[in-house]
Amino acid sequence: MSGQKDHANLFDDARSRLEEVFDAIEVHGDARERLMQPSLSLQVSVPVRMDDGSLKVFPGWRVQYNTTLGPAKGGIRFHPDVNQEEVTTLSFWMAVKCAVVDLPYGGGKGGVKVDPKQLSKLELERLARSYIRGIADIMGPDRDIPAPDVNTNATVMGWMADEFDHLARAKVPAAITGKPPELGGSHGRVAATGRGALHVLDLWAEREKRKPEETTVAIQGFGNAAYHFARLAHEQGFRIVAVSDSKGTIYSQEGLDPDAIMEQKQRNKRLHDMVYCDDSVCIAEDVEKLDRDDLLTLEVDVLALAALENQVHEGNVDQIKAGALLEIANGPVSSHADEQLEERGVPVLPDVLANTGGVIVSYFEWLQNRSGERWSEEEINKRLAERLVRESELVFERAEKETISYRRAAYRQGIERIAHAIQLRGNCQDSE
Ligand code: GLU
């Protein structure tokens, strides 16, 4: 989508946030050293036999940022802009976010540089299987557990899980999360990221004594997380006035119905064999159509960013008129823009808290797979809500007590937990 794609600086930009945290929480020197770079980066070639008989080789990566708190955890992205820098940054954010919500996981991420929408369904399946063959040696329920991310979903996870089982000569469902329920996936996983973001927004709104009916929301992106967030927020009474995707924005002051938009998208889909729903939100009828990036500068109460990283940056932060920002995507606000928003007193509900619903339910999936249990959707949603209430309140209270932004508070909470664990593992001068 929009934004400066300065991936060469994405990682530096992301970890620049660490320095301030290290000073504020007086982290032991070992943790500082450990957390400035990933612990393992693997680059693989992903060969795919195309339908026309030719062979194409796509570059892929898997990065394990830190595994102090547990096995690496994080999604796999298929996108033409994927590169090592981006995967490393995303793995760093996974490490922070798992710690913020107290999951027994480190952070990891994977990606393949490919435009999946140019592939047939069978080519996509071969790509998914080939990628797993490339990274299988560093995977496993106690080592590194992939999941869906941009342009990968339950269908793709099902193929990957099947490939891993073949390689392991065993059934190892806990090696991958976000699978279809028939293959050991968890109920509630598909909607989890959107549901989690809504919990965080709700908790914040409650503290601010702000009613859903009086709150307008614009959403950048209409992928899986955005759709479920929009659907649930609409149900709760929030007024979704605008939604955008890579092709444009639709706007209605009276409010949009996310299910009606999805239905029109689905109806129109040429669809890549049911793997992706690909048509634009712009096919929706009876709505005002705006340019894609116009959404970012709308005067709304909440701007929910659910597309890609670095969407609000130095070049457009001045034009942001929203009352608050909700980060459903990973890293949608650059650190420079974040500082500007902080100075202007615009609250940002940060990614490392607001989009943890997905990985929390991935954790529930992993627990169910390891114990051979199957929990109901009701049970999953209850546990998700409980964890998010507990961890969000800690972040909000810390922000208030230390008069810092929610992001700074969340980073302090997460990094403190990882740093503590690094110290407790011993081998450092003043460990007890
Ligand atoms: N890709 C998602 C994220 O960025 C989910 C990761 C997971 O479930 O492991 O949080």
Side-chain angles (χ1 to χ4, degrees):
M1 294 198 120
S2 78
Q4 313 174 147
K5 291 263 161 51
D6 196 357
H7 286 302
N9 293 317
L10 192 68
F11 183 47
D12 284 340
D13 189 69
R15 66 180 173 170
S16 70
R17 287 180 172 136
L18 280 179
E19 284 303 335
E20 184 266 342
V21 183
F22 286 152
D23 293 340
I25 62 175
E26 286 169 21
V27 174
H28 186 270
D30 285 7
R32 276 180 188 249
E33 292 300 317
R34 293 295 297 274
L35 290 174
M36 288 309 277
Q37 45 259 312
S39 53
L40 175 67
S41 300
L42 178 67
Q43 178 168 358
V44 291
S45 289
V46 185
V48 178
R49 179 68 58 198
M50 306 303 280
D51 293 344
D52 66 5
S54 67
L55 186 79
K56 274 204 181 140
V57 182
F58 301 92
W61 294 268
R62 183 75 189 172
V63 176
Q64 298 176 356
Y65 199 85
N66 186 275
T67 52
T68 307
L69 294 174
K73 184 86 194 81
I76 295 165
R77 170 176 298 204
F78 290 167
H79 195 278
D81 291 339
V82 164
N83 57 49
Q84 180 158 10
E85 186 89 21
E86 185 191 44
V87 177
T88 305
T89 309
L90 289 160
S91 73
F92 164 73
W93 285 324
M94 282 309 303
V96 178
K97 88 167 88 154
C98 289
V100 169
V101 290
D102 209 15
L103 299 178
Y105 289 141
K109 202 79 171 200
V112 180
K113 182 176 172 57
V114 60
D115 183 356
K117 291 174 184 166
Q118 302 298 325
L119 303 183
S120 71
K121 186 178 178 185
L122 274 173
E123 287 167 344
L124 191 65
E125 179 175 341
R126 287 183 215 118
L127 175 82
R129 290 181 183 277
S130 180
Y131 174 74
I132 289 300
R133 288 195 293 278
I135 69 159
D137 284 345
I138 62 165
M139 282 176 60
D142 294 310
R143 303 177 73 182
D144 187 351
I145 308 134
D149 197 75
V150 173
N151 289 332
T152 56
N153 55 17
T155 305
V156 177
M157 293 307 113
W159 297 328
M160 290 182 168
D162 183 67
E163 187 66 28
F164 190 78
D165 282 359
H166 282 297
L167 294 170
R169 297 243 164 259
K171 298 289 169 210
V172 200
I176 292 183
T177 61
K179 303 178 294 296
E182 296 82 353
L183 300 182
S186 180
H187 293 302
R189 176 63 185 82
V190 174
T193 308
R195 185 179 292 278
L198 180 60
H199 279 312
V200 174
L201 177 63
D202 263 342
L203 292 164
W204 171 78
E206 217 171 279
R207 289 178 84 87
E208 298 290 309
K209 305 203 180 356
R210 170 181 276 289
K211 294 199 180 75
E213 312 78 59
E214 294 160 6
T215 308
T216 55
V217 184
I219 308 173
Q220 187 200 34
F222 206 64
N224 177 58
Y227 162 65
H228 287 286
F229 167 75
R231 175 178 67 80
L232 296 165
H234 174 75
E235 252 172 53
Q236 204 146 305
F238 285 95
R239 190 144 49 95
I240 316 292
V241 293
V243 170
S244 72
D245 64 12
S246 58
K247 299 184 185 111
T249 296
I250 53 173
Y251 177 83
S252 161
Q253 188 53 32
E254 287 72 54
L256 299 160
D257 175 356
D259 272 325
I261 302 168
M262 188 46 111
E263 214 181 286
Q264 294 182 44
K265 272 185 68 159
Q266 299 274 6
R267 215 183 316 133
N268 243 37
K269 70 193 170 191
R270 294 171 298 254
L271 207 58
H272 298 273
D273 303 291
M274 303 303 287
V275 179
Y276 301 116
C277 172
D278 195 35
D279 253 303
S280 173
V281 293
C282 297
I283 54 130
E285 291 146 20
D286 304 328
V287 289
E288 198 178 326
K289 311 239 163 64
L290 305 174
D291 283 345
R292 180 186 74 180
D293 292 344
D294 288 348
L295 177 129
L296 294 172
T297 55
L298 291 172
E299 226 168 280
V300 286
D301 296 312
V302 177
L303 172 61
L305 299 165
L308 291 170
E309 56 269 15
N310 208 20
Q311 300 298 299
V312 175
H313 48 73
E314 204 169 344
N316 64 5
V317 64
D318 287 347
Q319 297 151 44
I320 302 290
K321 300 183 205 80
L325 272 62
L326 174 69
E327 296 186 327
I328 303 180
N330 291 304
V333 178
S334 77
S335 65
H336 180 276
D338 200 35
E339 276 168 28
Q340 300 259 312
L341 292 165
E342 200 176 348
E343 271 166 32
R344 279 166 48 192
V346 180
V348 179
L349 296 165
D351 50 2
V352 292
L353 177 67
N355 74 19
T356 53
V359 71
I360 292 173
V361 176
S362 273
Y363 167 58
F364 297 156
E365 181 171 333
W366 181 76
L367 287 177
Q368 291 171 84
N369 291 155
R370 305 200 97 182
S371 61
E373 286 178 31
R374 199 181 259 300
W375 306 345
S376 68
E377 184 158 359
E378 212 183 356
E379 175 73 19
I380 301 279
N381 291 345
K382 186 172 118 263
R383 289 188 190 227
L384 172 64
E386 277 167 7
R387 182 171 294 258
L388 276 173
V389 169
R390 188 174 73 226
E391 301 302 332
S392 302
E393 290 301 339
L394 284 175
V395 170
F396 293 150
E397 277 160 25
R398 187 165 195 162
E400 212 165 272
K401 204 163 125 228
E402 298 175 20
T403 45
I404 50 173
S405 68
Y406 297 129
R407 185 178 330 265
R408 289 183 202 275
Y411 268 69
R412 287 182 193 185
Q413 177 161 309
I415 300 294
E416 211 164 62
R417 285 171 174 161
I418 302 173
H420 233 120
I422 289 176
Q423 209 172 339
L424 286 167
R425 281 185 179 274
N427 249 329
C428 55
Q429 272 182 338
D430 58 358
S431 64
E432 283 162 25

